[in-house]
Amino acid sequence: MGKADVAVRQWLSDKERFADLFNGTVFQGEEVVLAEDLEEQKGESSLIVIDKKSAKRA
């Protein structure tokens, strides 16, 4: 795992920040994900975001 991955994982470990990011990007700002409802999960997972307009990974 590179330094950038560690920094992003640490940044997203804040529940408020994680909820704000998802609400802003996935739900167009609507408060759907609540920080108090989030639970830390063990293990790792990955997410690949595809830019639909250019069909390239973002």
Side-chain angles (χ1 to χ4, degrees):
M1 186 180 333
K3 289 181 182 180
D5 285 342
V6 172
V8 169
R9 289 178 193 277
Q10 184 177 8
W11 191 82
L12 287 175
S13 69
D14 179 278
K15 291 179 181 182
E16 289 287 339
R17 192 176 289 145
F18 186 91
D20 285 346
L21 174 66
F22 270 77
N23 287 329
T25 58
V26 176
F27 301 110
Q28 292 77 44
E30 183 180 346
E31 193 173 8
V32 175
V33 177
L34 303 176
E36 58 267 20
D37 293 338
L38 297 175
E39 296 178 9
E40 187 172 341
Q41 299 295 307
K42 294 186 183 217
E44 293 184 20
S45 62
S46 296
L47 175 68
I48 297 174
V49 178
I50 304 294
D51 180 350
K52 290 182 181 180
K53 292 181 183 176
S54 64
K56 295 180 181 176
R57 290 183 180 186

